[in-house]
Amino acid sequence: MILSPFEWTIAKRYMLPGKGERFIALVAGISLVAVMLGVAALVIVMSVMNGFRAELFDKIVSLNGHAIIQGYGGRIDNWQDVLEDVRKTQGVTRASPLIEQPLASTFNGRAELVLVRGNTKEDIARLAPKVKAGDLAQLQPGERNVAIGSELARNLGAQVGDTITVFNPLGRSTPFGTVPRQIGYHVSAIFEIGVYDLDERFVVMPMKDAQTLLLTGDQIGMIELTTTNPDKVDQILAPLERKLAGRAVVVDWKQMNSSLFEALAVERVAMFVVLSIIVLVAVFNILSSLIMLVRAKTRDIAILRTMGATRRSLLKVFVTAGFCIGAAGTVAGLILGFVFLYFRQPIVRLVEVLTGQNLWDPSIRFLTELPARADPVEIGVISVMALIFSFLATLYPAFKAASTDPVQVLRYE
């Protein structure tokens, strides 16, 4: 919609009401602030929810891969052949054997349920960026060295250099019954994945040590794999799943964490709808301010009409005046939203100090920090939605102004 110099001059005049129209200016300012806050709320909440899902996915996948092949009875027969078939499957970028078993661990009188993981040397090395203390290089087969999660270390009170005891209830049989197997392991490293449940449970050790602890011989329990596209993991692994039917079951990340990610998806849609309603309510302020402006400028509109201004010109003037308020509010909302996201951690800590409440408890939120990831497409949708709502809010008062009859107005002036 292109405005002539005359139309643009009138539109600017109406966007900045005079001294006698301060109330109209106040309502217009409130309209701008309302749109700004609505857009900012949408940007902040959707970016945080996107970040929460992305961070949770990245941290879970970084340790568990995109899928797990698990043998019936907890063991895979001829696992070397199965591993070779998995590595030859098109779309699979990495596959490695894995042992995982829930057990118990004690240290200095404290006991915790743990999840013992037996990994290959290459998989253990992938934890290096997550290490907070110690050295993963010490995790050598037969050395009885382990790496534990940061929350588990805190709960047990263990540090690098301490020795924790891991219990396997399925020990050796004796004339007096089954004696639980207990082995002491030297804590060589402490890592932090960033997911509370994982950091609270995992004890990582070399594959051979896990086989010795669990008395499994050379067998493994599962194969962990990564694919080229996690969103299409079910399609990539469909041929492999048919080939392994009756021998093992393939479980991808969607199935392993289905309840969590489905809940996030539903909450994401619900929050977008609710916050969109806030933006819709905000643009009603634009509608009310324009209606007041039209009523206040009825005489001016009539004079303009008698001077030759067309209905189309008046329509464009008031649409422009209202739309500019919405556009300014949208831009300000985007700026406010990005500023909030950039300083989100200091803001969270400030609110915690002021209220005395722990707003981000990792044991509840899964992640140790408030995440955020802005989606350019989603930001564009939010901006376009706010602009469309603003445009629609201008139509009624603009048509009302354009339909003003100068004869009827000026007759009583």
Side-chain angles (χ1 to χ4, degrees):
M1 185 172 58
I2 301 176
L3 275 68
S4 65
F6 159 73
E7 293 166 346
W8 182 241
T9 301
I10 299 299
K12 287 194 296 183
R13 173 67 181 83
Y14 285 170
M15 281 187 285
L16 300 171
K19 294 182 179 180
E21 300 155 349
R22 290 178 180 174
F23 184 73
I24 298 175
L26 175 63
V27 174
I30 293 174
S31 304
L32 190 150
V33 172
V35 174
M36 177 188 70
L37 294 178
V39 171
L42 260 176
V43 170
I44 293 168
V45 172
M46 299 309 298
S47 296
V48 167
M49 297 197 70
N50 287 337
F52 189 88
R53 182 187 184 279
E55 286 294 316
L56 193 61
F57 172 78
D58 291 343
K59 293 180 184 299
I60 289 176
V61 167
S62 67
L63 198 63
N64 293 327
H66 294 165
I68 293 291
I69 298 175
Q70 190 166 12
Y72 293 108
R75 297 184 181 183
I76 301 178
D77 297 327
N78 301 321
W79 66 268
Q80 292 89 346
D81 296 334
V82 175
L83 181 62
E84 189 66 23
D85 290 338
V86 173
R87 288 174 174 171
K88 292 180 180 179
T89 302
Q90 185 176 4
V92 175
T93 58
R94 183 185 63 84
S96 58
L98 172 68
I99 292 177
E100 191 171 278
Q101 183 68 36
L103 298 175
S105 177
T106 63
F107 173 74
N108 200 21
R110 299 181 183 181
E112 291 288 335
L113 295 176
V114 298
L115 198 61
V116 172
R117 285 175 65 98
N119 285 123
T120 62
K121 182 179 179 179
E122 294 76 13
D123 289 334
I124 291 175
R126 291 170 54 219
L127 277 176
K130 310 293 184 182
V131 173
K132 295 297 182 182
D135 184 10
L136 289 175
Q138 298 182 25
L139 270 68
Q140 300 295 331
E143 297 295 329
R144 292 189 178 181
N145 293 329
V146 297
I148 65 176
S150 58
E151 293 299 328
L152 177 60
R154 184 178 294 110
N155 293 340
L156 289 175
Q159 299 178 354
V160 173
D162 293 332
T163 299
I164 63 173
T165 302
V166 179
F167 290 86
N168 178 12
L170 301 178
R172 298 186 181 276
S173 298
T174 69
F176 303 99
T178 301
V179 177
R181 185 175 179 79
Q182 51 181 327
I183 300 178
Y185 291 96
H186 181 263
V187 178
S188 298
I190 296 175
F191 59 86
E192 184 174 296
I193 301 297
V195 179
Y196 183 85
D197 286 359
L198 304 185
D199 293 332
E200 188 188 29
R201 292 285 178 257
F202 276 122
V203 175
V204 178
M205 63 179 64
M207 181 76 67
K208 290 293 183 182
D209 289 358
Q211 290 172 335
T212 301
L213 173 64
L214 299 173
L215 304 173
T216 60
D218 190 42
Q219 291 185 319
I220 65 169
M222 57 189 70
I223 295 174
E224 172 192 286
L225 57 90
T226 304
T227 62
T228 54
N229 189 343
D231 291 327
K232 296 182 179 179
V233 62
D234 50 348
Q235 301 174 24
I236 294 174
L237 300 181
L240 183 63
E241 191 171 4
R242 289 192 295 267
K243 189 174 183 178
L244 296 177
R247 300 166 55 193
V249 59
V250 179
V251 183
D252 59 43
W253 68 270
K254 299 177 183 178
Q255 296 169 315
M256 287 187 286
N257 306 280
S258 59
S259 58
L260 177 60
F261 284 100
E262 286 176 5
L264 286 176
V266 172
E267 186 176 1
R268 183 169 173 270
V269 173
M271 292 302 295
F272 185 85
V273 172
V274 171
L275 293 174
S276 297
I277 294 175
I278 294 177
V279 177
L280 182 61
V281 172
V283 299
F284 274 103
N285 287 321
I286 298 177
L287 175 65
S288 61
S289 64
L290 283 182
I291 291 175
M292 294 172 60
L293 182 61
V294 170
R295 290 182 63 87
K297 298 295 184 180
T298 300
R299 184 172 178 275
D300 293 355
I301 294 170
I303 294 173
L304 289 172
R305 290 283 286 119
T306 59
M307 293 173 63
T310 63
R311 295 180 185 273
R312 180 182 178 84
S313 294
L314 292 174
L315 182 67
K316 290 162 65 176
V317 164
F318 284 93
V319 167
T320 300
F323 183 78
C324 285
I325 295 174
T330 300
V331 173
L334 293 176
I335 295 173
L336 178 62
F338 289 134
V339 169
F340 186 96
L341 292 175
Y342 186 80
F343 295 103
R344 62 188 182 279
Q345 285 302 133
I347 291 174
V348 170
R349 287 192 287 268
L350 176 62
V351 175
E352 288 178 341
V353 170
L354 295 177
T355 61
Q357 301 294 323
N358 184 5
L359 300 181
W360 194 260
D361 187 351
S363 63
I364 299 174
R365 311 291 185 182
F366 293 99
L367 302 180
T368 54
E369 290 186 352
L370 177 65
R373 184 171 297 185
D375 182 357
V377 175
E378 201 165 65
I379 298 299
V381 170
I382 293 172
S383 302
V384 171
M385 181 190 66
L387 293 175
I388 290 176
F389 283 169
S390 300
F391 173 75
L392 294 177
T394 65
L395 293 181
Y396 173 75
F399 277 111
K400 190 72 174 176
S403 61
T404 300
D405 185 355
V407 176
Q408 296 295 327
V409 174
L410 297 178
R411 174 181 297 177
Y412 302 101
E413 291 296 331

